[in-house]
């Protein structure tokens, strides 16, 4: 039997193996498979389905542990997270170029810090759809492209004026020399996938930084990686679900795609996936509409998404008295204008769970003149009416191609979520 890896090594491996949402759900499924969960297809009958199972669709995954004999109206304990991160995605006709350079036509996905994508060695990942209708994961883990920054000799005031990037003009990566040729990238990805060029009909492809995840700091107390927001939360949710032993509720991890662009898709938190799974599990226990509404009324969701750590170079951007630090435990996120779904009741319940697990916790609120972002929390609360708390690990460089958080916080979050699932 293989020796289990330390939790942080397992997280580093998950981050490295998940350059796209499709890889993130595939890697989560592998973790669940190894723990004895069973995969159920959405278009199959779930009669007689096992108590520990999951269903996967594209960049979304819902997994659950529903104890045998649980009443149909029993509540759900849901941890929600998202698999997508801001990045550079290829346009349908990606072959472009100018002035003797071959380039890739890209579209900026989400609220990316676009300057962080300059001068990085970039690989390519995502999924391909073949002529027979099947989808295949693609991951090119070698330097393929680069977005070169303009030399300071040609922009001598850049350090004083600040870098200004036109997303259409300045972010097209170079990946070769010569005139652009239609189909050049299609030939490359087909070869990487081991199929004939004409077999690739379509694809959802994106660039990723090739620098591997790493421990950072004097004592290795920090973690630097791409896609920390929000794969850290995805990993913690899956680890907690595997470790949990629920008794009176269904423990559930829901990983959604498209949070960074508003969640409004079939695989996003605003879509029907989570509600459909809940309905089917209640029906499997011979419950109807009444039992489903009772189950939802007694349920709770922990929306797990990364939080802002206080930045030592920009302390004035943070609310005094609410300045989270790395390695000080999960952050409860509060916003009076409902950008987060936390209220006093759900915050108190999450803090009790942290206390039960001997996990420290913090609280975050934005300055009045620095509006915060949002999460799947308000979306889930609005769609299903489930009491929700927004939490996350503190980090710097949010939405950068490479982010930074505390190395102790992901295991602490997983411990708190395990207590949430179990109690």
């Amino acid at each position: 039997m293989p020796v289990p890896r330390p939790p942080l090594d397992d997280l580093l491996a998950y981050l490295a193996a998940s350059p796209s949402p499709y890889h993130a759900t595939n890697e989560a499924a592998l973790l669940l498979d190894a723990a004895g969960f069973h995969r159920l297809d959405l278009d199959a009958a779930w009669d007689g389905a096992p108590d520990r199972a999951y269903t996967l669709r594209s960049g979304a995954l819902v997994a659950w542990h529903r104890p045998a004999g649980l009443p149909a109206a029993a509540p759900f304990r849901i941890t929600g997270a998202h698999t997508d991160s801001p990045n550079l995605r290829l346009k349908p006709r990606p072959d472009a170029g100018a002035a003797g350079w071959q380039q890739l036509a890209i579209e900026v996905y989400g609220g990316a810090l676009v300057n962080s994508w300059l001068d990085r060695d970039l690989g390519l990942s995502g999924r391909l759809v073949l002529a027979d209708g099947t989808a295949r994961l693609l991951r090119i883990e070698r330097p393929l492209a680069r977005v070169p920054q303009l030399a300071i000799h040609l922009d001598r005031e850049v350090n004083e004026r600040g870098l200004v990037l036109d997303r259409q003009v300045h972010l097209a990566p170079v990946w070769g020399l010569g005139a652009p040729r239609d189909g050049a990238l299609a030939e490359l990805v087909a070869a990487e996938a081991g199929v004939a060029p004409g077999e690739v009909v379509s694809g959802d492809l994106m660039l990723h930084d090739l620098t591997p995840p790493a421990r950072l700091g004097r004592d290795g107390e920090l973690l630097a990686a791409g896609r920390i927001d929000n794969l850290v939360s995805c990993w913690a949710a899956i680890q907690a679900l595997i470790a949990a032993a629920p008794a009176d509720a269904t423990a559930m991890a829901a990983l959604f795609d498209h949070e960074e662009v508003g969640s409004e898709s079939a695989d996003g938190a605003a879509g029907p996936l989570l509600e459909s799974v809940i309905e089917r599990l209640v029906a499997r226990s011979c419950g109807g509409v009444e039992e489903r509404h009772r189950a939802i009324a007694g349920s709770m969701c922990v929306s797990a998404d990364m939080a802002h750590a206080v930045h030592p170079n920009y302390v004035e951007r943070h609310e005094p008295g609410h300045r989270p630090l790395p390695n000080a435990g999960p952050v409860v996120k509060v916003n009076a204008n409902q950008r987060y779904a936390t209220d006093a009741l759900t915050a108190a319940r999450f803090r009790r769970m942290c206390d039960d697990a001997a996990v420290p916790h913090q609280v975050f609120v934005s300055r009045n003149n620095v509006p915060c972002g949002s999460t799947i929390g308000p979306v889930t609360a609005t769609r299903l009416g489930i009491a929700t708390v927004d939490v996350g690990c503190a980090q710097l460089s949010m939405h950068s191609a490479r982010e930074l958080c505390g190395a102790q916080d992901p295991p602490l979050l997983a411990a708190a979520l395990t207590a949430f699932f179990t109690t």
Side-chain angles (χ1 to χ4, degrees):
M1 178 178 294
V3 177
R5 290 180 299 199
L8 195 64
D9 289 347
D10 190 79
L11 172 59
L12 293 176
Y14 180 71
L15 291 170
S18 304
S20 77
Y22 316 112
H23 289 83
T25 53
N26 183 69
E27 290 298 314
L30 293 176
L31 292 173
L32 293 165
D33 290 340
F37 284 69
H38 298 266
R39 178 169 177 172
L40 301 177
D41 293 328
L42 286 168
D43 59 356
W46 287 9
D47 298 336
D51 297 326
R52 300 207 307 167
Y54 68 92
T55 190
L56 184 156
R57 184 177 63 194
S58 300
L61 177 148
V62 180
W64 60 89
H65 181 176
R66 187 172 177 87
L70 201 65
F76 290 79
R77 299 286 178 262
I78 304 166
T79 293
H82 66 87
T83 59
D84 61 321
S85 302
N87 60 9
L88 307 182
R89 303 202 172 190
L90 297 194
K91 292 182 176 179
R93 298 182 64 185
D95 299 296
W101 292 90
Q102 292 184 348
Q103 295 176 276
L104 298 174
I106 61 93
E107 185 173 7
V108 179
Y109 176 84
L113 279 171
V114 293
N115 64 291
S116 70
W117 288 86
L118 300 177
D119 296 329
R120 291 183 179 271
D121 295 340
L122 303 175
L124 188 67
S125 63
R127 65 176 176 181
L128 303 174
V129 179
L130 305 183
D132 62 2
T134 61
R136 183 173 299 188
L137 293 179
L138 175 76
R139 180 181 171 194
I140 301 178
E141 202 66 17
R142 69 174 188 273
L144 182 68
R146 187 179 180 93
V147 184
Q149 187 170 186
L150 185 64
I152 194 169
H153 311 80
L154 304 178
D155 189 8
R156 292 188 178 276
E157 291 77 38
V158 64
N159 290 330
E160 289 72 33
R161 186 191 67 247
L163 181 64
V164 178
L165 296 171
D166 184 303
R167 296 185 175 204
Q168 178 69 19
V169 177
H170 299 143
L171 294 179
V174 299
W175 75 303
L177 293 171
R181 179 172 60 86
D182 286 342
L185 185 72
E187 292 174 5
L188 174 75
V189 298
E192 291 286 338
V195 301
E199 286 296 299
V200 178
V201 176
S202 186
D204 296 304
L205 300 177
M206 59 205 72
L207 297 163
H208 63 275
D209 177 24
L210 292 174
T211 311
R215 298 285 291 267
L216 183 145
R218 183 189 61 193
D219 300 315
E221 66 268 37
L222 300 172
L223 169 62
R227 305 173 299 282
I228 282 176
D229 175 20
N230 188 35
L231 293 186
V232 161
S233 301
C234 294
W235 173 86
I238 296 299
Q239 294 294 322
L241 182 64
I242 291 172
D248 301 322
T250 298
M252 179 176 284
L255 313 183
F256 298 105
D257 200 353
H258 302 134
E259 188 274 346
E260 298 293 358
V261 292
S263 294
E264 294 185 351
S265 72
D267 303 324
L273 181 60
L274 177 59
E275 184 175 12
S276 174
V277 172
I278 289 174
E279 288 181 359
R280 295 177 75 167
L281 292 181
V282 171
R284 196 189 71 173
S285 298
C286 300
V289 174
E290 175 69 15
E291 287 76 16
R292 175 164 54 86
H293 283 293
R294 287 170 58 197
I296 289 174
S299 296
M300 181 175 175
C301 175
V302 175
S303 167
D305 203 345
M306 300 301 287
H308 295 292
V310 60
H311 198 303
N313 298 339
Y314 301 91
V315 175
E316 74 282 356
R317 301 295 181 94
H318 299 267
E319 172 67 17
H322 300 82
R323 294 173 174 175
L325 285 169
N327 294 333
V331 180
V332 178
K333 302 191 289 186
V334 179
N335 181 261
N337 293 297
Q338 297 300 297
R339 299 294 289 170
Y340 305 131
T342 306
D343 62 21
L345 292 172
T346 58
R349 289 177 65 181
F350 184 78
R351 288 169 180 159
R352 285 199 302 272
M353 296 162 202
C354 288
D355 292 341
D356 291 342
V359 170
H361 48 79
Q362 310 176 76
V363 65
F364 169 82
V365 66
S366 293
R367 292 176 61 92
N368 286 307
N369 55 354
V370 182
C372 67
S374 192
T375 69
I376 66 165
V379 176
T380 304
T382 299
R383 179 172 179 89
L384 295 178
I386 292 178
T388 302
V389 60
D390 270 292
V391 307
C393 299
Q395 74 161 101
L396 295 180
S397 304
M398 189 177 288
H399 288 196
S400 171
R402 192 164 177 85
E403 302 170 316
L404 187 70
C405 72
Q408 298 174 26
D409 280 330
L412 288 174
L413 176 61
L417 295 178
T418 302
F420 167 60
F421 284 145
T422 302
T423 55

PDB file of all heavy atoms in Angstrom, residues 24 36-37 55 64 116 118 158 164 175 187 243 275 306 388:
ATOM      1  N   ALA A  24      -9.055  20.114 -13.263  1.00  0.00           N
ATOM      2  CA  ALA A  24      -9.336  20.209 -11.826  1.00  0.00           C
ATOM      3  C   ALA A  24     -10.427  19.228 -11.412  1.00  0.00           C
ATOM      4  O   ALA A  24     -10.311  18.566 -10.368  1.00  0.00           O
ATOM      5  CB  ALA A  24      -9.746  21.635 -11.464  1.00  0.00           C
ATOM      6  N   GLY A  36     -12.884   5.422  -2.726  1.00  0.00           N
ATOM      7  CA  GLY A  36     -14.025   4.518  -2.767  1.00  0.00           C
ATOM      8  C   GLY A  36     -15.336   5.135  -3.182  1.00  0.00           C
ATOM      9  O   GLY A  36     -16.391   4.491  -3.083  1.00  0.00           O
ATOM     10  N   PHE A  37     -15.323   6.367  -3.685  1.00  0.00           N
ATOM     11  CA  PHE A  37     -16.545   6.977  -4.210  1.00  0.00           C
ATOM     12  C   PHE A  37     -16.821   6.404  -5.607  1.00  0.00           C
ATOM     13  O   PHE A  37     -15.906   6.010  -6.325  1.00  0.00           O
ATOM     14  CB  PHE A  37     -16.399   8.498  -4.295  1.00  0.00           C
ATOM     15  CG  PHE A  37     -16.512   9.202  -2.970  1.00  0.00           C
ATOM     16  CD1 PHE A  37     -15.528   9.070  -2.000  1.00  0.00           C
ATOM     17  CD2 PHE A  37     -17.608  10.000  -2.683  1.00  0.00           C
ATOM     18  CE1 PHE A  37     -15.622   9.721  -0.783  1.00  0.00           C
ATOM     19  CE2 PHE A  37     -17.720  10.668  -1.471  1.00  0.00           C
ATOM     20  CZ  PHE A  37     -16.723  10.522  -0.514  1.00  0.00           C
ATOM     21  N   THR A  55     -20.914  13.085  -9.377  1.00  0.00           N
ATOM     22  CA  THR A  55     -21.216  13.241 -10.789  1.00  0.00           C
ATOM     23  C   THR A  55     -20.389  14.393 -11.326  1.00  0.00           C
ATOM     24  O   THR A  55     -20.137  15.379 -10.605  1.00  0.00           O
ATOM     25  CB  THR A  55     -22.731  13.469 -11.023  1.00  0.00           C
ATOM     26  OG1 THR A  55     -23.016  13.393 -12.424  1.00  0.00           O
ATOM     27  CG2 THR A  55     -23.188  14.818 -10.479  1.00  0.00           C
ATOM     28  N   TRP A  64     -20.883  13.525  -2.896  1.00  0.00           N
ATOM     29  CA  TRP A  64     -21.633  13.486  -1.641  1.00  0.00           C
ATOM     30  C   TRP A  64     -21.393  12.188  -0.882  1.00  0.00           C
ATOM     31  O   TRP A  64     -20.983  11.176  -1.442  1.00  0.00           O
ATOM     32  CB  TRP A  64     -23.130  13.649  -1.900  1.00  0.00           C
ATOM     33  CG  TRP A  64     -23.704  12.565  -2.779  1.00  0.00           C
ATOM     34  CD1 TRP A  64     -24.220  11.362  -2.403  1.00  0.00           C
ATOM     35  CD2 TRP A  64     -23.801  12.601  -4.210  1.00  0.00           C
ATOM     36  NE1 TRP A  64     -24.638  10.641  -3.483  1.00  0.00           N
ATOM     37  CE2 TRP A  64     -24.390  11.368  -4.613  1.00  0.00           C
ATOM     38  CE3 TRP A  64     -23.456  13.538  -5.183  1.00  0.00           C
ATOM     39  CZ2 TRP A  64     -24.631  11.076  -5.949  1.00  0.00           C
ATOM     40  CZ3 TRP A  64     -23.691  13.230  -6.513  1.00  0.00           C
ATOM     41  CH2 TRP A  64     -24.284  12.022  -6.877  1.00  0.00           C
ATOM     42  N   SER A 116       0.551  40.333 -15.080  1.00  0.00           N
ATOM     43  CA  SER A 116       1.231  39.178 -14.492  1.00  0.00           C
ATOM     44  C   SER A 116       1.471  38.073 -15.506  1.00  0.00           C
ATOM     45  O   SER A 116       2.209  37.115 -15.223  1.00  0.00           O
ATOM     46  CB  SER A 116       0.411  38.634 -13.315  1.00  0.00           C
ATOM     47  OG  SER A 116      -0.784  38.022 -13.747  1.00  0.00           O
ATOM     48  N   LEU A 118       2.878  38.640 -18.454  1.00  0.00           N
ATOM     49  CA  LEU A 118       3.986  39.029 -19.319  1.00  0.00           C
ATOM     50  C   LEU A 118       5.244  38.238 -18.983  1.00  0.00           C
ATOM     51  O   LEU A 118       5.530  37.943 -17.819  1.00  0.00           O
ATOM     52  CB  LEU A 118       4.272  40.531 -19.154  1.00  0.00           C
ATOM     53  CG  LEU A 118       3.139  41.495 -19.494  1.00  0.00           C
ATOM     54  CD1 LEU A 118       3.558  42.925 -19.199  1.00  0.00           C
ATOM     55  CD2 LEU A 118       2.695  41.348 -20.941  1.00  0.00           C
ATOM     56  N   VAL A 158       7.754  54.108 -18.506  1.00  0.00           N
ATOM     57  CA  VAL A 158       6.824  53.102 -18.009  1.00  0.00           C
ATOM     58  C   VAL A 158       6.864  52.980 -16.485  1.00  0.00           C
ATOM     59  O   VAL A 158       5.833  52.784 -15.840  1.00  0.00           O
ATOM     60  CB  VAL A 158       7.098  51.737 -18.678  1.00  0.00           C
ATOM     61  CG1 VAL A 158       8.482  51.200 -18.323  1.00  0.00           C
ATOM     62  CG2 VAL A 158       6.028  50.736 -18.299  1.00  0.00           C
ATOM     63  N   VAL A 164       0.473  50.336 -19.155  1.00  0.00           N
ATOM     64  CA  VAL A 164      -0.876  50.347 -19.723  1.00  0.00           C
ATOM     65  C   VAL A 164      -0.909  49.329 -20.857  1.00  0.00           C
ATOM     66  O   VAL A 164      -0.131  49.432 -21.822  1.00  0.00           O
ATOM     67  CB  VAL A 164      -1.260  51.748 -20.248  1.00  0.00           C
ATOM     68  CG1 VAL A 164      -2.643  51.708 -20.865  1.00  0.00           C
ATOM     69  CG2 VAL A 164      -1.197  52.778 -19.125  1.00  0.00           C
ATOM     70  N   TRP A 175       4.607  32.517 -30.537  1.00  0.00           N
ATOM     71  CA  TRP A 175       4.935  31.098 -30.413  1.00  0.00           C
ATOM     72  C   TRP A 175       5.728  30.576 -31.615  1.00  0.00           C
ATOM     73  O   TRP A 175       5.890  29.375 -31.793  1.00  0.00           O
ATOM     74  CB  TRP A 175       3.673  30.263 -30.179  1.00  0.00           C
ATOM     75  CG  TRP A 175       2.783  30.039 -31.366  1.00  0.00           C
ATOM     76  CD1 TRP A 175       2.198  30.982 -32.147  1.00  0.00           C
ATOM     77  CD2 TRP A 175       2.388  28.774 -31.906  1.00  0.00           C
ATOM     78  NE1 TRP A 175       1.443  30.405 -33.132  1.00  0.00           N
ATOM     79  CE2 TRP A 175       1.533  29.039 -33.002  1.00  0.00           C
ATOM     80  CE3 TRP A 175       2.647  27.446 -31.577  1.00  0.00           C
ATOM     81  CZ2 TRP A 175       0.957  28.028 -33.773  1.00  0.00           C
ATOM     82  CZ3 TRP A 175       2.062  26.442 -32.341  1.00  0.00           C
ATOM     83  CH2 TRP A 175       1.229  26.734 -33.426  1.00  0.00           C
ATOM     84  N   GLU A 187      -2.973  21.566 -35.878  1.00  0.00           N
ATOM     85  CA  GLU A 187      -2.068  20.459 -36.166  1.00  0.00           C
ATOM     86  C   GLU A 187      -1.265  20.082 -34.921  1.00  0.00           C
ATOM     87  O   GLU A 187      -1.056  18.892 -34.634  1.00  0.00           O
ATOM     88  CB  GLU A 187      -1.132  20.841 -37.306  1.00  0.00           C
ATOM     89  CG  GLU A 187      -1.828  20.997 -38.651  1.00  0.00           C
ATOM     90  CD  GLU A 187      -0.891  21.522 -39.727  1.00  0.00           C
ATOM     91  OE1 GLU A 187       0.321  21.670 -39.426  1.00  0.00           O
ATOM     92  OE2 GLU A 187      -1.359  21.796 -40.839  1.00  0.00           O
ATOM     93  N   ALA A 243     -12.680  12.642   4.273  1.00  0.00           N
ATOM     94  CA  ALA A 243     -12.374  12.357   5.676  1.00  0.00           C
ATOM     95  C   ALA A 243     -13.602  12.336   6.572  1.00  0.00           C
ATOM     96  O   ALA A 243     -13.555  11.779   7.674  1.00  0.00           O
ATOM     97  CB  ALA A 243     -11.384  13.395   6.204  1.00  0.00           C
ATOM     98  N   GLU A 275     -29.036  21.946  -7.664  1.00  0.00           N
ATOM     99  CA  GLU A 275     -30.450  21.715  -7.342  1.00  0.00           C
ATOM    100  C   GLU A 275     -30.913  20.366  -7.895  1.00  0.00           C
ATOM    101  O   GLU A 275     -31.652  19.630  -7.218  1.00  0.00           O
ATOM    102  CB  GLU A 275     -31.291  22.845  -7.926  1.00  0.00           C
ATOM    103  CG  GLU A 275     -32.762  22.758  -7.565  1.00  0.00           C
ATOM    104  CD  GLU A 275     -33.548  23.955  -8.066  1.00  0.00           C
ATOM    105  OE1 GLU A 275     -33.005  24.727  -8.883  1.00  0.00           O
ATOM    106  OE2 GLU A 275     -34.699  24.123  -7.641  1.00  0.00           O
ATOM    107  N   MET A 306     -11.152  32.171  -1.879  1.00  0.00           N
ATOM    108  CA  MET A 306     -10.010  32.809  -1.233  1.00  0.00           C
ATOM    109  C   MET A 306     -10.352  34.216  -0.744  1.00  0.00           C
ATOM    110  O   MET A 306     -11.255  34.873  -1.268  1.00  0.00           O
ATOM    111  CB  MET A 306      -8.824  32.844  -2.187  1.00  0.00           C
ATOM    112  CG  MET A 306      -8.364  31.470  -2.648  1.00  0.00           C
ATOM    113  SD  MET A 306      -7.857  30.358  -1.322  1.00  0.00           S
ATOM    114  CE  MET A 306      -6.284  31.092  -0.873  1.00  0.00           C
ATOM    115  N   THR A 388     -26.067  30.426   4.141  1.00  0.00           N
ATOM    116  CA  THR A 388     -24.721  30.349   3.572  1.00  0.00           C
ATOM    117  C   THR A 388     -23.760  31.241   4.335  1.00  0.00           C
ATOM    118  O   THR A 388     -24.120  32.334   4.778  1.00  0.00           O
ATOM    119  CB  THR A 388     -24.746  30.759   2.089  1.00  0.00           C
ATOM    120  OG1 THR A 388     -25.654  29.898   1.375  1.00  0.00           O
ATOM    121  CG2 THR A 388     -23.375  30.671   1.460  1.00  0.00           C
TER     122      THR A 388
END
